[in-house]
Amino acid sequence: MYTEKVLDHFSNPRNMGEVADANGMGIVGNAKCGDIMQIFLKVSDDGVIEDCGFKTFGCGAAIATSSMATEMIKGKTIEEALALTNAAVVEALEGLPPAKIHCSVLAEEAVKSAIVDYCKRKGIAIPEGAIVEEHEHDHGEAEEE
Ligand code: FES
């Protein structure tokens, strides 16, 4: 059901944990499954993501997508990181079951949310494409059980 890559990133997650001197943090959740993903960025003065990390309270696929997403944005500029799509994360993991695609959406949204936070803290304009609109993925407030 899961690819070797997914199992590898689930079993040996890369960049797990907070980044001590992070200057951008994003947190998103999916109200349906209740999973929460947090991304930390340390962005240099010239806009390069020098370090990043994640904390994910969620399913194995959410952990694997967090791990892969942080690997894919490390060393990139914030503009490049903004171009990261959930489809690219899924492709890098060599696929996810259809019921787990929303886990990769959380990863894309968490990265964008962390970049928005970084821009706000820096007082710089939020780049186009960084704002994730409220939509069918139901991130945000968890529904009451
Ligand atoms: Fe919801 Fe994986 S089941 S993030």
Side-chain angles (χ1 to χ4, degrees):
M1 181 174 175
Y2 288 111
T3 67
E4 287 293 319
K5 282 249 164 142
V6 173
L7 294 173
D8 176 31
H9 279 263
F10 169 63
S11 307
N12 305 294
R14 320 316 193 251
N15 313 307
M16 192 157 66
E18 289 185 35
V19 173
D21 40 2
N23 51 9
M25 193 279 286
I27 184 163
V28 294
N30 182 297
K32 290 218 171 82
C33 64
D35 290 357
I36 295 169
M37 195 180 286
Q38 201 171 9
I39 297 261
F40 303 88
L41 303 176
K42 185 184 174 202
V43 185
S44 70
D45 288 342
D46 49 356
V48 174
I49 298 168
E50 291 179 328
D51 198 7
C52 54
F54 76 88
K55 272 166 69 175
T56 293
F57 308 91
C59 73
I63 290 166
T65 55
S66 316
S67 168
M68 182 57 89
T70 51
E71 281 290 90
M72 292 172 83
I73 62 170
K74 206 190 247 186
K76 301 277 169 59
T77 64
I78 55 171
E79 287 78 15
E80 287 167 338
L82 276 178
L84 181 77
T85 61
N86 79 296
V89 175
V90 172
E91 196 182 329
L93 289 169
E94 296 172 353
L96 275 177
K100 292 291 176 179
I101 294 296
H102 79 270
C103 317
S104 67
V105 172
L106 268 191
E108 177 188 326
E109 292 181 349
V111 168
K112 290 193 161 119
S113 168
I115 292 172
V116 167
D117 181 54
Y118 164 76
C119 292
K120 282 184 182 162
R121 291 193 205 193
K122 278 269 170 193
I124 58 178
I126 295 167
E128 217 171 297
I131 302 286
V132 180
E133 296 190 9
E134 294 293 325
H135 49 55
E136 69 272 19
H137 301 302
D138 296 320
H139 62 278
E141 303 281 307
E143 284 168 359
E144 293 200 12
E145 291 291 334

